[in-house]
Structure formats: structure tokens, C-alpha cells
């Protein structure tokens, strides 16, 4: 990618950061910025690795997850364009405590964290940007922990479907989720077994809340799904 095209990508996709940098800092970001492509299910970074990059999802879908007992995964967060991830462990001066992989073919940007730290030392607005991002993520994680441990199975699965809708939206028909998950991934997002996820999905179909066609899920009654998510 030529420099002018790269600058356009960065200035458009990283607009919130771009607007608080001075000209010299922008020039250095263009020099240090790299673009990477990942195939479906390809690992971006793994638990226990040393954090090196600030990752920015430009196109595609990414999951942050942790491997549990018996080979099960727990999906902790879903990343959508344009979100930043992979930097908390660097600030904590510790290895990654979770892993990240691509849900589908994805394009990511990367900046070395040592360089990002230099910029933060120079620019207080950039420091506050990451404090804000970390604080929002922490608040979201706290809420999710409570929901996954206190809600019943129906409520957890309903919440997972709402999370998918809020993160990735609908297809052009305004009802089909714009992400196609395996039953196992849906179970991992909902903190339940695959068999429970399948049974609960079937229950939602019987109640005419959703329809299911393979990995395609169409939401027929979003209001009811949100109600189950809240009170289920």
C-alpha cells in the first residue's frame, strides 16, 4: 500500500485518535503502521504470549476468548470495526491472559506498543483516550460477568444474540444477523454447553422469536428477545 493510501486508511478508520495528534505524530504513525490479514479462525495472539502490538480491526470480526477446562472456550469479547484491542496486557506489564482470533477473513492494523507508549508520554489527550477505552471495557466486563453467572440459560442466550446484533447488525433484510456462528461458538459466548444452546435456540424458534437456517439466525421479535435477555 502506497503512503497516500495508507494515510487515507489511517485518517478515516482511526479518526478519533487522528484528530488529537499533531503533524509530526501523524507522520510517525504512518511510518510505524502495518496492515495484516488473517484467515478465518487464524490466531492473532495467544494466551501467555508477550504483548507487542496495539491491534485495530479494520475489516472483519474478531473474538477475544479464554480456554477453559475440557477444551471449552469462553468468548470474553467480540471486536467490530473499528475497535482497538490487545494493549491492556502491555500496560499491565504482563503476558496475555486471553487469546484473539479471526471469526472470518479479517484485516487488521497494528502499531508497536512501545511506540504507542512514546506517543502517550508526549500527548496527554492520547493517554486519556486509552484510559477511557480501558474504563469502558472494564465496565462492560463487569456487567458481562454478572449476567453470565446470574442469568438463566434463556437469558444468557438471548443476551448473546442481542450482543451479536448490537456489534454486527443485520443483513439487508433487517432481521438476519450479520455473523454466522457455529452452535459451539454461540454456546461459548453464552457460557453454556452446546447441547443447551441447541435446545434453547429450538425453544426460541418454537416461540417464533427467531428462525434458524444452518448458521444463519433471523430475529423475528427483537423486543421479546431483549425482554428475555433483561429478565431471563
Amino acid at each position: 500500500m502506497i503512503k497516500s493510501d495508507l494515510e487515507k486508511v489511517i485518517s478515516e478508520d482511526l479518526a478519533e485518535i487522528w484528530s488529537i495528534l499533531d503533524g509530526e505524530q501523524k507522520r510517525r504513525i504512518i511510518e510505524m503502521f502495518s496492515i495484516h490479514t488473517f484467515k478465518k479462525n487464524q490466531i492473532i495472539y495467544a494466551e501467555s504470549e508477550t504483548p507487542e502490538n496495539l491491534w485495530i480491526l479494520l475489516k472483519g470480526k474478531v473474538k477475544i476468548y479464554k480456554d477453559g477446562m475440557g477444551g471449552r472456550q469462553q468468548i470474553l469479547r467480540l471486536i467490530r470495526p473499528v475497535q482497538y484491542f490487545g494493549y491492556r496486557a502491555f500496560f499491565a506489564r504482563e503476558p496475555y491472559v486471553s487469546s484473539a482470533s479471526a471469526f472470518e477473513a479479517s484485516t487488521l492494523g497494528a502499531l508497536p506498543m512501545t511506540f504507542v507508549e512514546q506517543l502517550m508520554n508526549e500527548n496527554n489527550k492520547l493517554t486519556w483516550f486509552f484510559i477511557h477505552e480501558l474504563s469502558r471495557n472494564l465496565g462492560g466486563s463487569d456487567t458481562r460477568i454478572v449476567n453470565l453467572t446470574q442469568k438463566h440459560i434463556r437469558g444468557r442466550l438471548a443476551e448473546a444474540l442481542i450482543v451479536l446484533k448490537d456489534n454486527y447488525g443485520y443483513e439487508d433484510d433487517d432481521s438476519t444477523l450479520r455473523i454466522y456462528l457455529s452452535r459451539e461458538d454461540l454456546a461459548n459466548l453464552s457460557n453454556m454447553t452446546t447441547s443447551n444452546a441447541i435446545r434453547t435456540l429450538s425453544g426460541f424458534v418454537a416461540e417464533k422469536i427467531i428462525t434458524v437456517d444452518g448458521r444463519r439466525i433471523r430475529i423475528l421479535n427483537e423486543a421479546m428477545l431483549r425482554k428475555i435477555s433483561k429478565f431471563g
Side-chain angles (χ1 to χ4, degrees):
M1 182 176 292
I2 62 176
K3 184 176 180 181
S4 59
D5 291 338
L6 181 58
E7 182 174 357
K8 185 174 185 293
V9 168
I10 296 171
S11 62
E12 291 179 356
D13 290 336
L14 280 65
E16 196 170 1
I17 283 182
W18 199 248
S19 65
I20 60 179
L21 301 175
D22 63 31
E24 174 61 18
Q25 290 167 343
K26 290 177 180 178
R27 182 193 65 78
R28 288 156 58 199
I29 277 190
I30 293 170
E31 289 183 353
M32 300 297 293
F33 196 85
S34 58
I35 292 181
H36 306 258
T37 57
F38 290 86
K39 299 177 182 178
K40 181 179 179 179
N41 296 326
Q42 186 175 353
I43 301 291
I44 299 165
Y45 60 77
E47 186 174 347
S48 300
E49 288 184 352
T50 300
E52 296 180 349
N53 291 312
L54 167 67
W55 291 100
I56 308 102
L57 180 60
L58 303 175
K59 182 180 179 182
K61 300 175 180 70
V62 166
K63 64 178 177 181
I64 309 295
Y65 64 93
K66 193 172 181 66
D67 290 320
M69 297 182 64
R72 287 187 58 193
Q73 287 184 358
Q74 177 63 58
I75 297 177
L76 306 175
R77 285 175 59 206
L78 298 174
I79 306 297
R80 66 180 184 272
V82 172
Q83 288 186 323
Y84 306 84
F85 65 100
Y87 57 89
R88 186 211 60 83
F90 178 87
F91 291 149
R93 299 299 192 260
E94 66 183 20
Y96 283 120
V97 296
S98 57
S99 303
S101 68
F103 257 135
E104 63 184 34
S106 300
T107 303
L108 285 77
L111 285 168
M113 278 306 304
T114 51
F115 168 68
V116 173
E117 189 172 45
Q118 290 173 9
L119 288 182
M120 291 172 66
N121 288 333
E122 300 170 9
N123 190 321
N124 287 336
K125 290 182 179 179
L126 186 61
T127 301
W128 278 107
F129 172 84
F130 283 109
I131 290 174
H132 175 70
E133 287 288 300
L134 282 169
S135 299
R136 285 198 317 123
N137 291 339
L138 180 60
S141 296
D142 288 347
T143 300
R144 181 156 170 73
I145 288 171
V146 171
N147 290 340
L148 289 177
T149 55
Q150 295 189 0
K151 285 186 178 180
H152 295 297
I153 286 177
R154 280 170 56 85
R156 295 205 301 269
L157 187 62
E159 180 184 337
L161 294 174
I162 292 300
V163 165
L164 294 173
K165 185 271 173 182
D166 290 345
N167 271 271
Y168 302 120
Y170 290 135
E171 299 284 7
D172 292 339
D173 64 1
D174 290 327
S175 60
T176 301
L177 292 175
R178 192 179 284 142
I179 181 171
Y180 309 132
L181 294 186
S182 68
R183 300 296 184 269
E184 183 180 8
D185 276 333
L186 194 57
N188 292 339
L189 183 61
S190 310
N191 190 30
M192 63 178 69
T193 64
T194 304
S195 58
N196 279 338
I198 292 170
R199 280 195 295 269
T200 308
L201 273 179
S202 297
F204 288 167
V205 170
E207 295 170 54
K208 295 182 170 53
I209 298 171
I210 64 172
T211 62
V212 177
D213 180 10
R215 295 190 178 190
R216 295 169 63 88
I217 297 175
R218 184 177 174 217
I219 297 179
L220 303 178
N221 191 337
E222 184 179 326
M224 179 58 71
L225 202 61
R226 290 187 182 275
K227 184 176 181 180
I228 295 171
S229 173
K230 185 176 182 180
F231 299 107

